[in-house]
Amino acid sequence: DAGITQSPRYKITETGRQVTLMCHQTWSHSYMFWYRQDLGHGLRLIYYSAAADITDKGEVPDGYVVSRSKTENFPLTLESATRSQTSVYFCASRTGLNTEAFFGQGTRLTVV
Amino acid sequence: DAKTTQPTSMDCAEGRAANLPCNHSTISGNEYVYWYRQIHSQGPQYIIHGLKNNETNEMASLIITEDRKSSTLILPHATLRDTAVYYCIVLSPNTGNQFYFGTGTSLTVIP
């Protein structure tokens, strides 16, 4: 299906474990983004990528690692999950910096 | 970077127009105003954007004041499915043209 998809939709992991959230888009958009949204708050930018092999930090990058070896994929890794990383994570993509962004349906991550 | 101010919450009767205001008094000439909405923790959905002129699409209209210091998103005939949090965002080169979301306006459409 065309669009942007995130997997898994729900994940429970233990403190200290490594976990990777996947994001895949079929539009060949140059830009991809990861946001987190905590209860009662707006979305906060974690990392973004302007193209394959180009990534940059957003507002809240600590504790996260990203990679972009292919244009269509932008995985987000929590190297050692902490309870404070319990959140809903949204991936997004855009064609350019003055265009609208399209968001995935989110991954609800719980760290216990 | 241009900050935005929106009311925390609003109600609107079903079938009536919903007018959602946004203040962006420090906006610069080359910064766009974007509107998104988020329905019940789904991914944010793009609605509309504009620079200077008023814009209309199948979802909504965007009215930007002549001095560009404020704008209004208009949903012409609100339905229950329009109940959502609406975000007004100024896209600024000063912040890398990234979408920075505030807390938005929680719109409740009342039957």
Side-chain angles (χ1 to χ4, degrees), chain A residues 96-108:
Chain A
L97 282 179
N98 279 319
T99 62
E100 65 268 31
F102 298 91
F103 286 79
Q105 287 303 297
T107 294
R108 185 175 296 275

Side-chain angles (χ1 to χ4, degrees), chain B residues 69-89:
Chain B
K69 293 185 177 183
S70 66
S71 60
T72 301
L73 178 73
I74 301 173
L75 308 178
H77 305 287
T79 70
L80 299 179
R81 286 177 291 183
D82 292 322
T83 293
V85 178
Y86 288 77
Y87 296 98
C88 169
I89 303 165

Side-chain angles (χ1 to χ4, degrees), chain A residues 39-97:
Chain A
L39 193 63
H41 291 82
L43 283 77
R44 290 183 292 170
L45 182 64
I46 304 171
Y47 267 97
Y48 65 98
S49 168
D53 297 321
I54 300 175
T55 61
D56 210 343
K57 296 178 181 179
E59 302 171 88
V60 288
D62 294 342
Y64 303 95
V65 174
V66 294
S67 62
R68 188 138 179 240
S69 57
K70 293 184 177 181
T71 299
E72 61 267 30
N73 296 323
F74 191 38
L76 176 73
T77 298
L78 290 68
E79 292 190 305
S80 178
T82 65
R83 289 198 180 91
S84 65
Q85 292 177 309
T86 291
S87 189
V88 180
Y89 291 84
F90 290 101
C91 178
S93 71
R94 299 159 72 182
T95 54
L97 282 179

Side-chain angles (χ1 to χ4, degrees), chain B:
Chain B
D1 55 320
K3 304 282 186 196
T4 61
T5 303
Q6 299 178 251
T8 303
S9 62
M10 295 180 64
D11 294 336
C12 177
E14 187 178 18
R16 305 295 294 269
N19 297 283
L20 292 89
C22 180
N23 182 287
H24 33 77
S25 58
T26 60
I27 195 170
S28 298
N30 61 345
E31 295 175 338
Y32 283 78
V33 178
Y34 277 74
W35 283 83
Y36 277 79
R37 73 181 182 183
Q38 188 174 25
I39 299 172
H40 190 55
S41 298
Q42 296 177 18
Q45 177 189 23
Y46 166 78
I47 302 174
I48 198 166
H49 73 281
L51 183 63
K52 294 181 182 179
N53 300 320
N54 298 337
E55 302 288 344
T56 296
N57 63 20
E58 65 277 4
M59 288 182 67
S61 294
L62 175 60
I63 309 298
I64 303 174
T65 58
E66 192 169 343
D67 63 7
R68 302 187 72 239
K69 293 185 177 183
S70 66
S71 60
T72 301
L73 178 73
I74 301 173
L75 308 178
H77 305 287
T79 70
L80 299 179
R81 286 177 291 183
D82 292 322
T83 293
V85 178
Y86 288 77
Y87 296 98
C88 169
I89 303 165
V90 171
L91 205 61
S92 171
N94 293 335
T95 51
N97 278 331
Q98 303 301 340
F99 288 107
Y100 287 98
F101 290 77
T103 51
T105 296
S106 178
L107 174 70
T108 301
V109 180
I110 302 168

Side-chain angles (χ1 to χ4, degrees), chain A residues 3 16 20 22 24 27 34 41 46 58 84 91 105 111:
Chain A
T20 296
M22 303 301 293
H24 175 78
W27 296 302
W34 276 105
H41 291 82
I46 304 171
S84 65
C91 178
Q105 287 303 297
V111 183

